[in-house]
Amino acid sequence: MIIVKDLKKSFGELEVLKGIDCHVHPGECVVVIGPSGSGKSTFLRCLNRLEEPSGGEIVFDGQNVVDRSNDINKIRQKLSMVFQHFNLFNHLTVEQNLTLAPVKQKLMNEAEAKKKAMELLTRVGLEEKADNYPAQLSGGQKQRVAIVRSLMMNPKAILFDEPTSALDPEMVGEVLDVMKALAKEGMTMVVVTHEMGFAKDVADRIIFMSDGYITEEGTPEQIFEHPQQERTQAFLRAVMT
């Protein structure tokens, strides 16, 4: 579903991605781990062109993402993104946050959008928060609303950029539970995270990034039990103790 070839990204003189090759199969949950500054979030943001790649190729569901003649907004409807800091509209209620995009994009009318919003909110245990504003929600609730907002567009894949790193520790579990359920249902997911337990339990494949390269990838068992690279071993020693 996602094919990446020789992806490069520089910010001025700073080379952040130095030639990334990878693929994501339909229904696969790929978790990206690695030290801070290794290029993980930049890689994710390039996949739906929130960052413009400096070179290389990205194909999503048969469409060239890098080709300017393709409508990136149409691509982003199907390649959705959940951000670290939720990015909800504070002046809109939860329900309005959820129905805005699908109605604006004419994917459904207002009644259909409201119905779907309530179904999805019920699924994540937030149906009673539909009329609340984001300021009235906890961090974990905001992030669950942000995930529902992605699902409102019927995406084919969802990108998660460190979705729990802005949360208090006790709220992390409620967000990861929603993500685990999505993975079980076969949603194609690419997740940048520091949550090693989630990576171990849920990932079909783990990508380890370091210094702008993918330096190792494999199943959770391969990466956590038998890492091949010294850099991977050192990282895991630091985060798993």
Side-chain angles (χ1 to χ4, degrees):
M1 186 172 283
I2 303 172
I3 301 163
V4 180
K5 290 180 184 166
D6 198 28
L7 176 63
K8 294 182 173 134
K9 175 63 183 175
S10 297
F11 295 96
E13 296 291 297
L14 180 66
E15 218 183 344
V16 179
L17 301 179
K18 301 171 183 174
I20 300 284
D21 293 291
C22 72
H23 59 274
V24 180
H25 296 295
E28 192 176 29
C29 177
V30 175
V31 173
V32 184
I33 64 171
S36 293
S38 58
K40 305 184 300 295
S41 286
T42 301
F43 163 62
L44 203 70
R45 292 171 67 84
C46 283
L47 292 182
N48 69 351
R49 245 179 61 209
L50 285 173
E51 295 289 358
E52 287 288 346
S54 306
E57 195 176 301
I58 301 164
V59 177
F60 167 66
D61 199 30
Q63 280 195 292
N64 186 342
V65 175
V66 184
D67 184 346
R68 293 298 190 95
S69 66
N70 286 328
D71 183 347
I72 191 60
N73 291 319
K74 283 265 187 291
I75 291 170
R76 285 181 190 144
Q77 282 179 19
K78 296 299 173 194
L79 184 58
S80 191
M81 187 144 184
V82 174
F83 299 90
Q84 187 175 344
H85 293 288
F86 330 125
N87 290 18
L88 299 174
F89 294 110
N90 288 322
H91 65 291
L92 300 180
T93 65
V94 166
E95 184 183 74
Q96 289 165 338
N97 264 283
L98 299 179
T99 57
L100 180 69
V103 171
K104 251 196 157 58
Q105 300 285 344
K106 299 189 167 40
L107 296 183
M108 49 189 95
N109 63 37
E110 200 155 329
E112 290 166 338
K114 283 183 174 181
K115 182 170 180 280
K116 182 166 177 124
M118 286 311 296
E119 284 169 6
L120 290 171
L121 284 173
T122 301
R123 189 168 137 190
V124 300
L126 290 176
E127 63 274 21
E128 78 288 356
K129 301 291 185 187
D131 296 326
N132 288 36
Y133 288 87
Q136 299 169 300
L137 305 179
S138 71
Q141 289 169 336
K142 286 180 196 171
Q143 195 57 293
R144 281 185 280 162
V145 170
I147 293 171
V148 167
R149 183 179 55 185
S150 278
L151 293 172
M152 288 291 294
M153 305 299 284
N154 292 325
K156 291 191 171 183
I158 304 181
L159 311 174
F160 291 86
D161 188 10
E162 299 195 19
T164 59
S165 62
L167 302 180
D168 293 334
E170 70 268 23
M171 292 172 187
V172 168
E174 64 195 52
V175 172
L176 293 181
D177 285 345
V178 173
M179 293 169 65
K180 285 176 187 172
L182 284 175
K184 269 206 182 84
E185 289 162 19
M187 174 60 74
T188 307
M189 298 161 64
V190 185
V191 184
V192 170
T193 187
H194 294 292
E195 297 291 335
M196 294 302 129
F198 175 84
K200 238 181 189 170
D201 294 347
V202 183
D204 296 301
R205 193 153 42 92
I206 292 177
I207 287 173
F208 182 81
M209 284 185 68
S210 178
D211 300 320
Y213 296 102
I214 292 174
T215 53
E216 191 161 356
E217 67 177 294
T219 64
E221 188 187 11
Q222 287 168 331
I223 297 297
F224 286 106
E225 308 298 329
H226 312 287
Q228 300 299 302
Q229 303 291 330
E230 173 53 42
R231 186 67 189 87
T232 316
Q233 292 164 11
F235 173 80
L236 291 173
R237 274 198 302 273
V239 298
M240 300 299 277
T241 48

